[in-house]
Amino acid sequence: MKDDLDSIVQNLRASMSPDGKKPGYAIVGTGMMGREHIRAVLLLNQATIVGLYDSNPKSLALGVAEVERVGGKAPKQYTDLAALTDDSAVDAILICTPNFTHRAIFDSVKASKKPIFLEKPMATTLDDALYLAQAALAYPAPIQLGMQYRYKSQYQLALSALEKSELGPVHTISLCEYRPPFLGKVGEWNKFSAYSGGTLVEKCCHYFDLMNRIAGAPPVRVYATGGRAVNFTEFKYEGKPSDIDDHALVIVDYQNGVKAQFILNMFSEELFESLAVSGAKGTLFAEEHASFKPNRPSRSSIKVQAKGHAAYEGFDCTYPEDIELGGHYGSTLFEHQRFRDQITGLKNDGANCAEGLWAIITAWMAQASIEQGQVIDVQAMLASKSLNPYQAGLLPQDWTAPITDDWETSERGLA
């Protein structure tokens, strides 16, 4: 596995600063995540930043300053989205606006038919998520989602080991994240479920994406408990009190029998996350310790406790410092490497809209379980809302739809 890590890093470095003309990116939304993408694009040097758009003048100015700070040429500043999509210098569009705006922004730029990078979560509601996933099926260019956690070092190695069946058939999955509270945003939109989609959708779709990939099947039942214990209990913005959860425990049953759990705590002093996957041959453990505080470097590790495995005792798999500078402990560079490859016609494991849809479905069901205080039957809940994501193109690769006698003939309004 150490050789695998070396290969991953060497491959990324070899892809930097390619010869020939580089595609021009326009970024819609230059808040905190938009500026992280600016840094990653310019550090990777596979593309250029040709233009920026943000309705907030302060955010736009910060975006321009970030381009110039990292060494890019002064970007064009668009006054509206039509000017951005019509610009022939723009080869691809990055949507990094607040969660609740993603569908509207997509609708504003889709006529360009240019490749799109869409930040996570792709939507805040089931309706919008299904709409975007269906739209992606007919879209003539790649649409990649910003699920960068799958490219953290420990998770790239874990997914590779699982794809090689080094644990045998998977039976249980356990994920956890301990971290400080949500950071500040323009308009504090992430403190309100109506704009964020709720904590499990906004923050945790990354983990449900990983969980779904490892399980390799649709979720069928979700139970969750959680709420607000510490964070923002007295917080108000423009007179409106915050309503987001700061902790949760989620249990998911998958169609193929895999059982999974996820634990979230958002009032931890430092950052810690872990993954444990157990299969017939053994158990894989992956961990990350990190911090928002200065001068506290991150540390990642992985071990595979299967008989005779080379990584049985585990090893440090932290990315080199120059890779971590790309954002989210290096993972943002890797997702942009995927996006650049997709623009050139290469297929890879960049997150697609079907995967994003099911990450949101799983997270949304968990939020619903917390609110209702009961187990959620995923298929029944979707049917009650006249939504059918069990269709060709909307199920991630190798998944199969539930087999039920009444699915096609029911009167539940499924499309």
Side-chain angles (χ1 to χ4, degrees):
M1 293 184 88
K2 290 183 179 179
D3 290 342
D4 291 339
L5 179 63
D6 290 341
S7 177
I8 288 169
V9 171
Q10 290 169 11
N11 178 269
L12 180 73
R13 286 178 171 153
S15 74
M16 293 179 173
S17 306
D19 294 332
K21 184 179 182 298
K22 297 179 177 66
Y25 292 175
I27 297 183
V28 181
T30 53
M32 186 179 297
M33 277 309 303
R35 297 195 297 276
E36 178 171 316
H37 288 300
I38 288 171
R39 291 192 294 275
V41 170
L42 295 178
L43 287 170
L44 195 58
N45 197 25
Q46 294 180 337
T48 61
I49 305 294
V50 297
L52 305 176
Y53 171 82
D54 197 301
S55 59
N56 182 286
K58 182 178 178 180
S59 292
L60 183 59
L62 288 171
V64 172
E66 191 67 23
V67 173
E68 296 174 343
R69 186 187 71 81
V70 187
K73 295 181 180 179
K76 185 180 297 185
Q77 299 173 52
Y78 300 101
T79 56
D80 55 53
L81 289 174
L84 182 153
T85 56
D86 292 343
D87 190 341
S88 61
V90 175
D91 299 303
I93 299 169
L94 281 62
I95 300 175
C96 309
T97 54
N99 303 353
F100 64 97
T101 68
H102 287 174
R103 176 173 175 170
I105 298 294
F106 171 79
D107 282 342
S108 295
V109 304
K110 66 183 180 182
S112 72
K113 301 181 180 179
K114 296 175 181 179
I116 290 174
F117 179 97
L118 177 60
E119 250 304 333
K120 68 83 189 166
M122 61 192 281
T124 58
T125 68
L126 294 178
D127 285 339
D128 285 356
L130 185 58
Y131 169 84
L132 288 166
Q134 289 174 324
L137 296 179
Y139 196 71
I143 301 177
Q144 181 177 310
L145 303 185
M147 294 288 198
Q148 68 262 69
Y149 278 29
R150 57 170 66 183
Y151 309 117
K152 288 187 174 186
S153 60
Q154 70 272 25
Y155 297 143
Q156 287 209 60
L157 293 174
L159 291 169
S160 176
L162 294 168
E163 287 168 3
K164 297 172 184 175
S165 197
E166 293 178 4
L167 297 181
V170 170
H171 296 294
T172 64
I173 305 166
S174 180
L175 272 161
C176 75
E177 180 186 36
Y178 290 79
R179 58 156 288 160
F182 278 123
L183 301 176
K185 299 281 188 178
V186 175
E188 300 294 354
W189 60 265
N190 61 344
K191 312 303 189 301
F192 302 93
S193 296
Y195 303 124
S196 71
T199 299
L200 295 180
V201 173
E202 203 300 309
K203 179 67 196 72
C204 304
C205 61
H206 284 303
Y207 298 105
F208 294 117
D209 173 55
L210 282 168
M211 190 183 289
N212 289 346
R213 285 194 72 190
I214 294 168
V220 293
R221 284 176 298 278
V222 179
Y223 173 72
T225 182
R228 281 194 302 154
V230 177
N231 298 345
F232 310 116
T233 55
E234 304 297 325
F235 179 87
K236 291 183 179 181
Y237 183 77
E238 295 183 344
K240 183 178 180 181
S242 171
D243 65 348
I244 55 167
D245 299 323
D246 62 11
H247 67 282
L249 189 155
V250 182
I251 296 173
V252 182
D253 285 337
Y254 286 90
Q255 181 179 299
N256 59 1
V258 172
K259 307 292 191 295
Q261 68 168 354
F262 171 68
I263 297 172
L264 174 70
N265 176 299
M266 293 193 69
F267 41 89
S268 176
E269 185 69 16
E270 301 288 357
L271 292 152
F272 170 75
E273 61 185 66
S274 71
L275 166 70
V277 183
S278 291
K281 297 179 181 179
T283 301
L284 178 152
F285 298 95
E287 293 186 353
E288 179 183 84
H289 296 261
S291 179
F292 288 150
K293 299 173 184 176
N295 303 316
R296 293 182 67 87
S298 70
R299 184 176 76 256
S300 300
S301 63
I302 189 168
K303 63 176 65 175
V304 183
Q305 293 185 335
K307 186 176 180 179
H309 199 284
Y312 193 95
E313 299 298 335
F315 65 95
D316 185 291
C317 62
T318 311
Y319 284 137
E321 184 177 358
D322 64 314
I323 301 299
E324 289 212 344
L325 286 174
H328 276 78
Y329 313 106
S331 59
T332 306
L333 285 181
F334 287 93
E335 71 175 346
H336 276 289
Q337 179 191 36
R338 267 65 172 185
F339 185 55
R340 175 66 171 82
D341 284 348
Q342 290 205 51
I343 290 174
T344 62
L346 298 176
K347 300 295 183 182
N348 55 43
D349 62 348
N352 60 47
C353 288
E355 293 170 317
L357 168 65
W358 280 96
I360 289 173
I361 288 172
T362 311
W364 192 95
M365 297 297 164
Q367 289 283 176
S369 181
I370 291 174
E371 293 168 8
Q372 298 179 21
Q374 63 183 12
V375 176
I376 301 296
D377 181 299
V378 175
Q379 184 177 335
M381 178 64 80
L382 291 167
S384 73
K385 296 182 173 298
S386 300
L387 300 174
N388 181 13
Y390 301 99
Q391 304 174 48
L394 299 181
L395 287 165
Q397 188 176 8
D398 299 328
W399 286 20
T400 57
I403 299 173
T404 57
D405 293 337
D406 64 342
W407 185 256
E408 293 296 333
T409 59
S410 73
E411 297 179 357
R412 293 180 293 188
L414 298 177

